[in-house]
Amino acid sequence: MMISYDHIVIGVGSMGSAACYHLARRGRSVLGLEQFTIPHELGSHAGETRIIRKAYFEHPDYIPLLIRAYENWQELTERSGKQLYHKTGLFYAAPKGHELINSIRRSAELYNIPLESGVPTKFSLPTGYESLFEPDAGYVEPENTIRALVHHAIDLGAEIHEREQVLGWNGGGQPGYVTVRTNIAEYRCKKLIVTAGAWSAKMIPGIDKHLRVTRQVLAWLKPAEPEQFTKEKFPCWLIATENDKGAYYGFPIIPSHLGALKFAYHYPGSDTEADSVNRKVVIEDTENLLDFARKFLPPASGEIESTKVCLYSNSPDENFVIDNLAGMEDQVCVAWGFSGHGFKFVPVVGEILADLAMYGKTSLPIEFLNAGRFSA
Ligand SMILES: Cc1cc2nc3c(=O)[nH]c(=O)nc-3n(C[C@H](O)[C@H](O)[C@H](O)COP(=O)(O)OP(=O)(O)OC[C@H]3O[C@@H](n4cnc5c(N)ncnc54)[C@H](O)[C@@H]3O)c2cc1C
């Protein structure tokens, strides 16, 4: 006899761990299937820190979801007794008139998000740059968040299998059920949730032409005086320059990684595939980060201490897709295309997916994230 669950979640990474937690919390029987360990370094959630901010320059429609996410982060902190969100503030800068600063201001005005002015002393901004400071922003801890969500999900009755890869699924078998086939067994559920990150095109029919997986390089730089960059003294930051399309960003030194500051460039990197990405970092990969540090943050521009390759899974418009699967609305819901900015939303995406899995709809405002926008 095949084991049956209310829900199966394919991929227990960022979004999948949150879906398992919310479903288990609501008393549903749930099986989470993860092909690697939980967490792991091969997808989109490695690297110790992720920025969380509310004055969303990408699209103000994300802000109601962020307001909910902030509440969820607080609730998760209380439940786990672990500080997963660290309020450090976020320093933004860009050449005067740049869309980054204009959009931040617009979003902040629409939703009354406090912004301040002033430039932290360690930065050296070229003339003609303007800046803002978002005091309620900071960073969250991706690996520890996933650990906490899975821990609580199991406590609440979820079954989570690590190192079990889903090979395929189909909804055409026994009426009312989706069958999921892994390298170990077959299971069935009433509604499937697919949160497979950079592997989503293998698990969701019809999205291969829309999902673009890119290689992203992170680097940790050693400042001469690390004690000047602790989270009590130095904020998260995000800076657009006149010559680059994306934005550079970074973090203070965190207690679990003393002596080095994390730097990265937020813009889709080279196209790749999740299973064959080149994880070896060469000098050319980090030249832009070092040049940026020398110019904008000279006291941090020491040598590189370590590097990592991570994956963005980009949708065509770099906005997320969270929806029921067209044609199988009652049986499958999907969340993909988090495009390098999804982690701050993890707990609210878990809540939305639990709603879609249980009721087929959610009261949270996600219409702008519908999958149909790419079907024309
Ligand atoms: C370098 C970098 C920096 C970032 N910075 C930020 C930031 O500052 N702020 C922010 O908010 N966001 C940031 N993000 C984005 C954020 O981390 C991602 O949007 C988020 O992690 C995506 O979550 P996911 O669940 O889609 O993918 P993942 O967390 O990778 O989870 C997908 C999971 O599915 C599993 N899986 C796939 N296929 C199968 C299968 N067949 N069987 C079983 N398991 C399977 C995978 O192994 C994986 O564990 C960043 C991302 C990167 C790469």
Side-chain angles (χ1 to χ4, degrees):
M1 262 298 268
M2 220 187 287
I3 311 174
S4 293
Y5 299 86
D6 290 329
H7 308 289
I8 295 178
V9 177
I10 302 181
V12 187
S14 317
M15 308 303 163
S17 59
C20 289
Y21 166 64
H22 279 279
L23 285 164
R25 220 180 134 181
R26 296 178 191 191
R28 309 296 283 185
S29 69
V30 54
L31 169 66
L33 295 167
E34 170 53 49
Q35 61 185 345
F36 302 127
T37 57
I38 302 174
H40 63 84
E41 302 237 309
L42 305 172
S44 301
H45 56 254
E48 303 164 343
T49 46
R50 292 289 186 267
I51 286 178
I52 175 163
R53 55 192 160 85
K54 254 192 222 160
Y56 225 57
F57 56 83
E58 287 88 343
H59 200 311
D61 285 359
Y62 283 105
I63 297 172
L65 300 179
L66 279 165
I67 291 168
R68 181 70 181 157
Y70 267 74
E71 290 166 8
N72 292 333
W73 282 108
Q74 180 60 32
E75 188 259 340
L76 191 57
T77 299
E78 281 161 19
R79 183 182 266 268
S80 63
K82 294 197 172 84
Q83 198 184 353
L84 299 167
Y85 156 58
H86 302 262
K87 183 175 157 178
T88 62
L90 174 59
F91 173 65
Y92 301 96
K96 210 168 172 32
H98 194 285
E99 192 46 28
L100 176 80
I101 299 285
N102 294 343
S103 324
I104 292 167
R105 279 209 183 97
R106 267 199 306 274
S107 285
E109 271 163 27
L110 268 174
Y111 287 93
N112 289 323
I113 298 162
L115 290 177
E116 297 170 1
S117 54
V119 180
T121 49
K122 288 156 194 99
F123 287 95
S124 160
L125 291 186
T127 37
Y129 273 61
E130 56 181 342
S131 63
L132 290 169
F133 187 77
E134 184 179 335
D136 289 340
Y139 69 88
V140 289
E141 301 181 3
E143 294 93 338
N144 287 338
T145 298
I146 292 171
R147 282 189 192 101
L149 287 165
V150 167
H151 173 83
H152 299 317
I154 292 171
D155 259 6
L156 292 161
E159 216 179 291
I160 308 284
H161 297 181
E162 289 184 282
R163 297 192 178 90
E164 182 164 350
Q165 186 182 35
V166 176
L167 303 176
W169 58 266
N170 82 75
Q174 201 173 352
Y177 282 94
V178 178
T179 304
V180 175
R181 188 167 49 90
T182 76
N183 57 337
I184 294 175
E186 273 191 5
Y187 312 94
R188 60 179 201 170
C189 68
K190 292 179 193 144
K191 188 150 183 181
L192 177 69
I193 296 136
V194 187
T195 48
W199 290 263
S200 292
K202 288 190 178 170
M203 290 290 119
I204 306 172
I207 68 160
D208 48 343
K209 57 183 177 297
H210 301 308
L211 177 72
R212 182 178 162 217
V213 178
T214 54
R215 175 179 181 270
Q216 309 295 140
V217 174
L218 302 168
W220 281 260
L221 268 59
K222 285 205 283 194
E225 295 179 45
E227 63 284 358
Q228 296 302 317
F229 292 94
T230 58
K231 67 180 173 127
E232 291 72 30
K233 296 184 184 158
F234 185 70
C236 293
W237 55 271
L238 187 136
I239 298 179
T241 69
E242 52 275 85
N243 299 324
D244 298 294
K245 290 182 186 151
Y248 294 87
Y249 66 95
F251 300 81
I253 287 178
I254 60 168
S256 57
H257 194 146
L258 290 175
L261 284 160
K262 184 169 130 186
F263 274 68
Y265 179 52
H266 178 50
Y267 191 72
S270 52
D271 288 6
T272 188
E273 292 200 10
D275 290 320
S276 57
V277 57
N278 180 3
R279 295 192 181 271
K280 189 169 179 310
V281 175
V282 294
I283 290 172
E284 293 74 33
D285 285 323
T286 52
E287 268 169 353
N288 67 335
L289 300 178
L290 286 170
D291 283 351
F292 175 88
R294 277 191 284 271
K295 190 165 172 196
F296 288 82
L297 196 49
S301 64
E303 61 190 84
I304 290 182
E305 185 239 41
S306 54
T307 55
K308 194 178 289 300
V309 167
C310 210
L311 299 170
Y312 277 6
S313 50
N314 305 283
S315 78
D317 60 9
E318 294 177 23
N319 291 309
F320 318 154
V321 177
I322 310 178
D323 209 341
N324 292 306
L325 185 64
M328 300 192 76
E329 288 81 356
D330 293 340
Q331 291 187 299
V332 185
C333 58
V334 300
W336 60 274
F338 287 91
S339 308
H341 61 113
F343 204 89
K344 61 185 82 59
F345 296 88
V346 155
V348 69
V349 172
E351 196 180 346
I352 292 165
L353 288 171
D355 287 345
L356 294 182
M358 289 173 68
Y359 315 117
K361 59 183 185 185
T362 179
S363 57
L364 286 154
I366 59 161
E367 293 75 20
F368 74 114
L369 305 176
N370 72 82
R373 69 190 195 270
F374 304 129
S375 58

